[in-house]
Amino acid sequence: MATVTLKGNQVTTFGELPKIGVDAPNFRLTAPDLSPRSLNDYLGHNVILNIFPSVDTGVCAQSVRTFNEKASQLDNTKVLCISKDLPFAFARFCAAERLDNVETLSDFRDGNFGKNYGLTFVDGPLKALHSRCVVVLDDKSKVIYTEQVPEITDEPNYEAALQSLS
């Protein structure tokens, strides 16, 4: 279990993020068109997993906007924005914001992504949602960078995540 804070109050997650150098756990998530997506769909590409509690909060929305801007400059890299938000909320948000350099995926069906990646909150006011994390994978789905943001209301370290791809 990992401990982070929400406005200074401790919150615990289901486990730990995958270790650097291991194969990333596979996943089955839902795209905005309700089709399934798995890690295998992204083999051959570097992948940035931008994970957060809900796109309907300011910091989460900003992380999607920032990665959308930065992703336009990346070669052979997919940015996947993942939460338990419904696919419809993601579609609405991306359309309203005109975001097209990121993909949004939902863990709403069974929550296994959050459990397998060790980042689902097990207590606190955001219980059952995802912790704010960034996991970067190389083109063979090996974990090359992880960050679990210590204070949920803070943004991730975008530059460190992007530099891991250099």
Side-chain angles (χ1 to χ4, degrees), residues 13 24 58 74 76-78 84 87 89 93 101 120 124 126 129 146 162:
T13 64
L74 301 174
N76 195 40
T77 302
K78 303 285 185 181
K84 284 190 161 183
F93 175 80
N101 295 316
T120 300
L126 300 180
L129 294 180
T146 64
L162 296 170

Side-chain angles (χ1 to χ4, degrees), residues 78-97:
K78 303 285 185 181
V79 177
L80 309 181
C81 297
I82 302 168
S83 77
K84 284 190 161 183
D85 286 310
L86 291 176
F88 315 113
F90 273 138
R92 173 190 42 77
F93 175 80
C94 288
E97 297 279 333

Side-chain angles (χ1 to χ4, degrees), residues 107-138:
D107 191 22
F108 85 101
R109 290 197 192 272
D110 59 20
N112 282 333
F113 172 84
K115 293 173 188 165
N116 293 339
Y117 277 73
L119 51 82
T120 300
F121 291 124
V122 295
D123 56 18
L126 300 180
K127 182 178 179 177
L129 294 180
H130 295 148
S131 175
R132 184 177 318 288
C133 301
V134 176
V135 178
V136 180
L137 313 175
D138 68 12

